[in-house]
Amino acid sequence: MTKIGLIIAGGAVVLGAAAVTGYWLYKRGLRAKAEKMAEEKSREEFGACASAFSGLYEPLYMMAKGISKYRPGVVGDWAARTANLKDAPYYRQMWDSRFPDSSEWDKETGTARLNELLDFVLSTGVCRDDTVEIVVDGDTYKRYTTMDGEMIEAGSPAVVKSGYWFKDDVILEKGIIEKKTEGV
C-alpha cells in the first residue's frame, strides 16, 4: 500500500512539474511574441516619422562608422526628437528601454550604441545612398546640395561627399556633392 501511495504521490509531483513547466513555456512564448510585435511596431512607427530626424542621419552614420568624432549633442538631439514624437509610443518605448542613458555615453560606449541605433534605423527601410560619383542631371538637386552653394552644370561629373538619405520615394536628408576636378 505504501508503495502505491508513493507511486501516486510521485506521479502527482511529475504532473505538477510538467504543468508548471508547460505554463512557464507558454508564458515565455507569449512574452516573446509580444516583444517581437513591439519591435515590429517600433520599426513601423519610426518609418512613419523618419523625417523628424532629418539632419541627424549623416552625423549618426559618420560617428557610428568612426569617420567623424563622437559628439554627444547629436545623440541629445536624437533623444529630444524621440521624446517629442506623439504618434510613436512603441518607438519611444524601444528608445527608452534600449538607450536610456544616452546623455551619459562616452566615446567608446557612444560609438557602440550608435551602431546599434544605425542598425535599427536601416531595418526600418531608411536607406543611405552610397554612390561615390554622379553625372549631374535635372533630378540631382532633389537629392544633393553642393558644398559651396554653386550649381554644377548638367552633364558634368560630381563627387559625392556625403550620401543622401531616403525612405521609399521620400528624401529625408540631402547629400552633398562637389564638382569633379580634372585628374581626380
Side-chain angles (χ1 to χ4, degrees):
M1 197 70 165
T2 307
K3 198 174 195 180
I4 293 176
L6 288 174
I7 291 173
I8 292 172
V13 168
V14 168
L15 282 175
V20 167
T21 301
Y23 179 75
W24 178 78
L25 289 172
Y26 172 75
K27 289 298 254 182
R28 189 171 120 194
L30 287 178
R31 188 172 29 254
K33 187 174 181 177
E35 288 171 1
K36 184 177 180 180
M37 192 265 318
E39 182 73 18
E40 288 174 12
K41 286 290 231 176
S42 69
R43 283 188 175 98
E44 287 173 23
E45 288 176 351
F46 183 87
C49 66
S51 62
F53 298 90
S54 181
L56 297 178
Y57 290 111
E58 193 65 10
L60 166 68
Y61 176 83
M62 300 290 276
M63 289 187 309
K65 297 302 178 191
I67 298 167
S68 69
K69 181 176 130 176
Y70 175 74
R71 295 181 319 222
V74 172
V75 177
D77 196 359
W78 196 287
R81 293 184 196 193
T82 295
N84 289 328
L85 294 174
K86 302 292 182 228
D87 297 326
Y90 285 95
Y91 167 67
R92 285 194 343 260
Q93 181 179 5
M94 183 281 303
W95 173 271
D96 290 342
S97 66
R98 285 170 64 177
F99 307 109
D101 54 351
S102 61
S103 64
E104 300 170 14
W105 296 347
D106 60 12
K107 179 185 176 192
E108 186 177 310
T109 302
T111 301
R113 301 309 299 274
L114 289 177
N115 273 297
E116 185 180 343
L117 177 58
L118 180 61
D119 288 344
F120 171 80
V121 167
L122 295 172
S123 77
T124 69
V126 171
C127 300
R128 180 183 187 269
D129 183 69
D130 60 357
T131 303
V132 280
E133 189 174 310
I134 63 166
V135 175
V136 175
D137 63 21
D139 290 330
T140 297
Y141 292 102
K142 292 177 184 175
R143 298 181 306 272
Y144 298 99
T145 187
T146 58
M147 292 184 76
D148 59 7
E150 295 291 322
M151 301 294 271
I152 302 171
E153 186 176 320
S156 299
V159 177
V160 176
K161 293 303 199 178
S162 67
Y164 69 93
W165 290 80
F166 62 97
K167 179 162 183 2
D168 302 323
D169 293 333
V170 177
I171 304 298
L172 301 171
E173 187 173 296
K174 284 186 173 188
I176 299 172
I177 58 172
E178 73 177 1
K179 186 173 184 173
K180 183 176 181 180
T181 56
E182 294 300 318
V184 177

